[in-house]
Structures are given as C-alpha cells and as structure tokens.
Amino acid sequence: MAATKDSYAIISLGGKQYRVHEGERLLVDRLKTDEGKTFNPDVLFLGGDGDGTLSPQTQVTVKVVGHVLGDKIRIGKRRPKSGYRKQTGFRASLSQIEIQSIGGTAKRTTAAATPAAEKETPAPKPKAETPAPRPAAAAPTAPAPASPPRGYEDFTVADISEKSKRWKVEQLEAALKFEKKNANRKGAIAALESALAAKQEKN
C-alpha cells in the first residue's frame, strides 16, 4: 500500500502503540536515542483511504526533538488521628518526537545509503597502519567523572534519604550537584549533605 497524505501508521515504542501521521509531534516514554537523531520504529499497521495493511513492509522515520520531564504529580499520604502526613512528587522522563515520513521517503534514503557502504567496505587493505595508533589511543587513562546512581531522576525524597547511606562519596557528590542544578528539593539536599558528612567523618 502506497503512503498518501491521509495515511497513518501504528508504531510500537517502549511496549506501547501510537497512531501517528506525517509531521505530527508527540510525547513518549524516554528513549535512548540522542536529541536530533532519527530512527525507524517497528510498524504494526499502515492505513488510509479506507484501506489497511497489517505488518507492512514500510518504514516510518522518527526524529527525537528533545528529552523533557513531564508535569509534577503530587502524592500525599495521611493517617487519621495520628497526625501523620507525607507528600512526595514525581515527574516522568519523556521524549518529544516528530514523525518525519511514512513510507517511500525513508526507503529511498536507506537504499541510497547501502551502495555507498558497500563501496567503502573493500578498503581494509592497509592492515599494518591500524595496529600502530591503537596503543597511542589507549594511553590517556583519565578517570571517568562520577555520576549519580542509576535511576536517580525517578527517586523520591524518601528513597534518597534511605538509599544515600549506602552510596559512595563520589556518588553522593554527583547526586548533590544534580539535585541543586535540576530538581532543587530541600529534603533531598539535606539528606545528601548529611550522608556525605557522615561518610567524610568515617574517612
């Protein structure tokens, strides 16, 4: 089925299905693709003009416009007659994508790219040149910059205060920098600073 102006596609991203049109923008769960790059998701269905094709041999080209955080969701817990109150917040990690093309245009680009790749492949003749630069490239052994623990963006203040006691000093410092620069939650900053001070006293 050829793609037309009224064509739409159903694609699969992160275990969810989306019905998309050419030029449409939408928010999806955070993708691993960098900003400004394109990719081709799985196409489950192609429809339009009253016709439809299941599992079509068609490509949909998607561009990642940017990575954003969703609206803050307030989560409150209360216990009657005890004065217990607890409130936390959550912001989903999302990616904004744009549907650049459905169908033929994506196929042409891939078809044009394959012969160019085949022409470049028969050039592995100078094998003697490749081993020489490898030891020179491996010389710089600069330590990788410390980063917050994995999944830190989704942690609540209660999670941070509980888990930060088991983190390393480098992870605590990186998490504190990230918190001050992005979320700036007072409870999380206080928990990180106290855990960092406790670690430094032990050392």
Side-chain angles (χ1 to χ4, degrees), residues 2 7 13 31 37 46-47 53 58 90 101 106 113 115 121 152 155 161 167:
S7 295
L13 285 175
L31 301 172
K37 293 188 177 181
L46 183 66
T53 306
T58 304
F90 170 76
S101 63
T121 48
Y152 178 83
F155 288 171
S161 60
W167 294 346

Side-chain angles (χ1 to χ4, degrees), residues 114-185:
T114 48
E118 291 176 358
K119 291 179 182 178
E120 294 176 358
T121 48
K125 291 181 181 179
K127 292 184 179 179
E129 298 178 1
T130 50
R134 283 179 185 171
T141 56
S147 58
R150 186 178 298 176
Y152 178 83
E153 297 179 1
D154 299 329
F155 288 171
T156 62
V157 176
D159 293 337
I160 294 170
S161 60
E162 180 181 353
K163 296 179 180 180
S164 61
K165 300 173 184 178
R166 300 187 295 269
W167 294 346
K168 297 180 180 179
V169 176
E170 295 80 5
Q171 291 178 318
L172 289 169
E173 292 176 348
L176 187 59
K177 289 181 180 179
F178 178 86
E179 187 68 35
K180 290 181 178 180
K181 185 178 179 181
N182 296 284
N184 199 17
R185 294 171 292 184

Side-chain angles (χ1 to χ4, degrees), residues 33-56:
T33 309
D34 296 333
E35 294 184 10
K37 293 188 177 181
T38 59
F39 66 98
N40 302 109
D42 295 333
V43 182
L44 307 178
F45 185 83
L46 183 66
D49 298 329
D51 298 327
T53 306
L54 189 64
S55 299

Side-chain angles (χ1 to χ4, degrees), residues 15-142:
K16 297 181 181 179
Q17 299 178 8
Y18 301 90
R19 175 173 171 166
V20 297
H21 295 270
E22 222 173 274
E24 183 181 2
R25 287 193 177 191
L26 64 154
L27 289 173
V28 298
D29 292 337
R30 181 66 60 90
L31 301 172
K32 295 182 180 179
T33 309
D34 296 333
E35 294 184 10
K37 293 188 177 181
T38 59
F39 66 98
N40 302 109
D42 295 333
V43 182
L44 307 178
F45 185 83
L46 183 66
D49 298 329
D51 298 327
T53 306
L54 189 64
S55 299
Q57 299 297 322
T58 304
Q59 283 189 341
V60 174
T61 304
V62 179
K63 179 181 179 181
V64 179
V65 179
H67 299 300
V68 297
L69 292 176
D71 296 333
K72 181 170 283 189
I73 300 173
R74 297 284 184 179
I75 304 169
K77 295 182 181 179
R78 295 184 181 181
R79 293 177 186 171
K81 301 179 182 179
S82 64
Y84 175 84
R85 293 185 179 183
K86 184 179 180 181
Q87 190 174 31
T88 58
F90 170 76
R91 297 185 70 183
S93 300
L94 305 173
S95 296
Q96 187 177 33
I97 61 173
E98 180 181 359
I99 310 301
Q100 289 192 326
S101 63
I102 298 176
T105 52
K107 281 189 173 182
R108 290 172 193 163
T109 55
T110 52
T114 48
E118 291 176 358
K119 291 179 182 178
E120 294 176 358
T121 48
K125 291 181 181 179
K127 292 184 179 179
E129 298 178 1
T130 50
R134 283 179 185 171
T141 56

